[in-house]
DNA sequence: TATGAATGAGTTTTCATTCAT
DNA sequence: AATGAATGAAAACTCATTCAT
């Protein structure tokens, strides 16, 4: 049967240009309509939507189609700029880190006296996680993926190093003044601080379900902020 | 007959060994006699493998095929016993909670004096997260999915309630004795404790990447345990 | 805008089972209907169709959908058994080689006297290419892809070696008898023979277009067969 | 502003250097003056790159983007000048034929005595295929596509006709002199000659893989050239 | 003449789930 | 109770081509 069945190559045409239907879609842009050709805006738009999707659904749970749909452009552009779903995910991580960097610059605790500086640092860390929930969720998601993608970011290590340096400086000055205990490891302390700040955001769903309290409620938020400051100060103070 | 081309499905994917390979006992039996159907064992085996897969890959990232492959049985059985991927995931959550309950019974702090009881409670919480990493990862995964599945578990709420009751009791007794501050919210305190215990497990990949330290290393583990006990006691103590 | 837009994870359901439409499609199978579950038949069927498609369209030109459509099964099975388009292509190459091997066994020229053996060998080579056009086309296609896939086949090298051995034996015996020239390289001669046999099949379209002759026409076929035998014998004969 | 994340489209694909980079001449001109639009040069450049891509990848395997990338111009220009991928492919075929035509004029065997003329003709055919590998590959590719495109070329038929005429003339003169056999069909002989010359180029990858010999190696090349001349002369000579 | 951004339709591949035995 | 084969829907990704400037 097979061997001699001389199948003339069935002629199949090459891709042709699609018919273009330039019909207006009814809901026209308002007066200050976006420019049609604005790559930076396109990228930003894609990244914005992708950030939401990835942080809401996880890397595997996110759908490229879902992202594209909520974008001002098409799925194709997403691949045009970011190569692949993973590439887009990485770009999202990068962007989220970039966004945060600016904020971080503002933290200037080196000039404050140690206890006040420590208070500021903790408050900053708290606010920072509280404000950047997408960031927190993405880090949690990264841990599900064994931090495979985030480790490739240059920004990643440096950022953590800088915060630890800040803590180290505070601890050293406090100890020199006899106000702080001298034997505290800065990284350990950073872990203590960020654990709380991170956890109440990352685990707010299970927390809410378990205790019937939404940790993002303003009253709870304030109380938590005070508490972690208090706990940290009590922890570092001599004796 | 394609004598020379016996094509097995997906010949290129490396097959990991099933989790519990039924070892041959040497004196083989005729086919019918040897194969002893053991539904309980089959279910246990499936759950075990599924726990690994879900906790390693997340709910969306997990693959039914991957689970079935490492099982002693087939994909069909997985559906036979657990209905669907989601059903299996729920069963995994349930199992993980069940496993833990036993351990939890052992914690009897009500008889200890408040400070010692608090120490025990924190240590218990620490050890418990440290030992049950799959549990921790699954909770983190649940939060990616807005705690959709875990809230359905009866075990879930009760467990958290019981731990909070324990803390409440300790705080009340401590306050009565004038040793603890009287204004501490037990749920807040639980959040403080569990944040640290949870975070160092759930985020160990990003932590490791950021600081070049593996938080599961024994030395670090001990230090962290001491630290959280210390921090909590300093936090609750009067004044 | 972005940062604080708390997007509640839009609930999206997991894949559900499709509705099964078990309607009869009208053109029922004849009495000797295929068994529904016959993996060997399924694979054979896929390979048969794939052979046609690849040999007609080339590797890049072939369409997985087109193959699946002409199959008794679905596209999914194609991936079930062959992993990928490339995997299927490789399996096709393998099968085509397997098919041919049998035929080749029949060639027993070692017992014939050199000249008669050489005639048989050339005729065999001619017939073999003439009959296996898919094979010829696939080899041509492989050369477009720099023989990337075929080199992985075990069957490939051994087959060529055996035919060269056969030629070598004939040449040696012929030279010993003083009938053949002693300085002929067997691989070169194989190239001379197979060039012609291959070319008139592989290039029949351009040949037809250039000269208005279809080289597969029976009359031309016979003349070509005689010609290559004649040319080879004249080439090898002393002096 | 995503200051730290300037995302270029497809940042991961390595870009090969364009085929002819317009080197800066040191003393730069103002923008308008420096850029000299040279349509002919642009077309030539595109064709050159396209020839490489098509002959290396086949018609379906070739990528318009890949061609444009290695060009000094953009994809749009490619469509501007050649309409479509197919149009470009046809232009490549045409160019390749055009390139060759010049060479072919030089062959003047009508003045030589038949045997010497035949030798020259074969050598010419050999050299011509050996030198124009792209041409050979493109013909092979055309046969994968049933010679759909090449048949439209005016140059195509005429070229083949003229070579056959040349052979016919040689055969006739040789037969008249009693040196050549009188019953040889010129088209068949052309097929014999070109088969070998074509095949060793078109199938050099599978040949190399099968026999561990690269047919384009100078030593092998010379031997092959001598062989085909020898074989043809022995074939045409009386008796 | 020239260009980078944009696109829609197609193409390959994956996945949870079910069927026939 | 158990199984390997089978499946449709959806997901990721690609490609030739065109638009707006």
């Amino acid at each position: 049967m097979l061997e001699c069945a001389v199948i003339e190559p069935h002629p199949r045409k090459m891709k042709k240009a699609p018919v273009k239907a330039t019909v207006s879609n009814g809901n026209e842009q308002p007066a200050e309509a976006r420019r049609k050709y604005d790559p930076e805006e396109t990228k930003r738009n894609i990244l914005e939507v992708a950030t939401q999707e990835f942080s809401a659904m996880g890397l595997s749970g996110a759908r490229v189609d879902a992202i594209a749909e909520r974008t001002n452009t098409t799925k194709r552009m997403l691949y045009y700029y970011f190569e692949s779903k993973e590439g887009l995910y990485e770009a999202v991580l990068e962007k989220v880190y970039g966004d945060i960097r600016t904020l971080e610059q503002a933290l200037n605790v080196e000039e404050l006296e140690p206890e006040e500086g420590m208070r500021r640092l903790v408050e900053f860390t708290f606010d920072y996680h509280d404000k950047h929930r997408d960031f927190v969720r993405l880090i949690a998601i990264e841990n599900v993926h064994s931090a495979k993608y985030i480790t490739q970011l240059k920004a990643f290590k440096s950022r953590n190093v800088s915060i630890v340096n800040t803590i180290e400086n505070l601890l050293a000055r406090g100890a020199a003044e006899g106000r702080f205990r001298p034997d505290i490891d800065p990284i350990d302390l950073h872990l203590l601080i960020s654990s709380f700040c991170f956890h109440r955001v990352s685990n707010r769903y299970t927390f809410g379900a378990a205790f019937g309290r939404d940790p993002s409620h303003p009253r709870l938020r304030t109380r938590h902020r005070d508490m972690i400051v208090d706990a940290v100060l009590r922890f570092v103070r001599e004796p």
Side-chain angles (χ1 to χ4, degrees), chain A:
Chain A
M1 277 298 126
L2 203 194
E3 51 193 285
C4 279
V6 178
I7 301 293
E8 291 308 316
H10 27 130
R12 233 179 287 137
K13 54 273 150 203
M14 214 159 265
K15 276 177 198 170
K16 289 296 181 194
V19 283
K20 58 196 136 161
T22 350
V23 286
S24 151
N25 64 358
N27 57 351
E28 301 294 309
Q29 294 285 336
E32 67 280 28
R34 277 169 306 97
R35 263 176 299 150
K36 201 79 183 283
Y37 267 50
D38 187 342
E40 287 311 314
E41 169 56 25
T42 301
K43 284 185 234 170
R44 189 162 26 248
N45 178 230
I46 292 173
L47 276 175
E48 186 180 317
V49 176
T51 303
Q52 292 169 16
E53 174 84 2
F54 281 123
S55 93
M57 312 298 283
L59 172 52
S60 338
R63 294 288 165 253
V64 173
D65 280 289
I67 295 171
E69 224 158 67
R70 306 205 326 264
T71 284
N72 290 322
T73 182
T74 63
K75 186 166 45 161
R76 187 61 190 81
M77 288 319 281
L78 207 146
Y79 284 93
Y80 183 69
Y81 285 117
F82 303 100
E83 267 267 280
S84 65
K85 184 185 178 182
E86 289 196 349
L88 181 53
Y89 175 72
E90 282 167 21
V92 163
L93 287 177
E94 213 152 37
K95 190 206 87 174
V96 165
Y97 260 97
D99 285 358
I100 277 169
R101 199 96 65 85
T102 340
L103 180 62
E104 209 167 334
Q105 310 295 356
L107 178 69
N108 254 343
V109 299
E110 328 254 316
E111 303 149 0
L112 303 175
E113 60 152 337
E115 187 152 325
E116 183 54 20
M118 188 62 78
R119 169 185 302 278
R120 283 276 179 88
L121 178 85
V122 175
E123 288 174 350
F124 164 79
T125 307
F126 185 94
D127 294 343
Y128 158 117
H129 286 83
D130 191 67
K131 261 191 197 147
H132 299 87
R133 302 197 185 156
D134 284 344
F135 162 79
V136 169
R137 290 182 70 98
L138 286 166
I139 300 285
I141 288 162
E142 261 298 281
N143 277 289
V144 172
H145 295 279
S146 313
K148 182 177 167 191
Y149 304 95
I150 212 167
T151 44
Q152 293 161 16
L153 297 189
K154 291 155 307 209
F156 178 60
K157 261 201 150 166
S158 68
R159 193 186 79 88
N160 288 295
V161 165
S162 93
I163 234 189
V164 168
N165 284 340
T166 304
I167 293 177
E168 196 161 27
N169 173 278
L170 284 170
L171 285 174
R173 286 196 292 128
E177 292 179 19
R179 307 279 281 280
F180 288 175
R181 295 196 280 161
D183 58 345
I184 295 176
D185 181 89
I187 296 182
D188 287 357
L189 182 59
H190 173 60
L191 184 61
L192 179 64
I193 299 167
S194 61
S195 288
F196 185 79
C197 300
F198 191 99
H199 192 77
R200 63 176 281 284
V201 175
S202 71
N203 284 34
R204 72 183 175 116
Y205 291 106
T206 47
F207 184 85
F211 304 111
R213 287 184 187 178
D214 177 7
S216 61
H217 185 281
R219 182 152 47 221
L220 213 50
R221 188 192 162 284
T222 308
R223 214 167 73 199
H224 283 167
R225 194 171 185 258
D226 293 345
M227 180 172 75
I228 185 65
V229 168
D230 190 20
V232 168
L233 289 182
R234 282 167 179 265
F235 178 68
V236 296
R237 273 189 206 123
E238 190 73 67

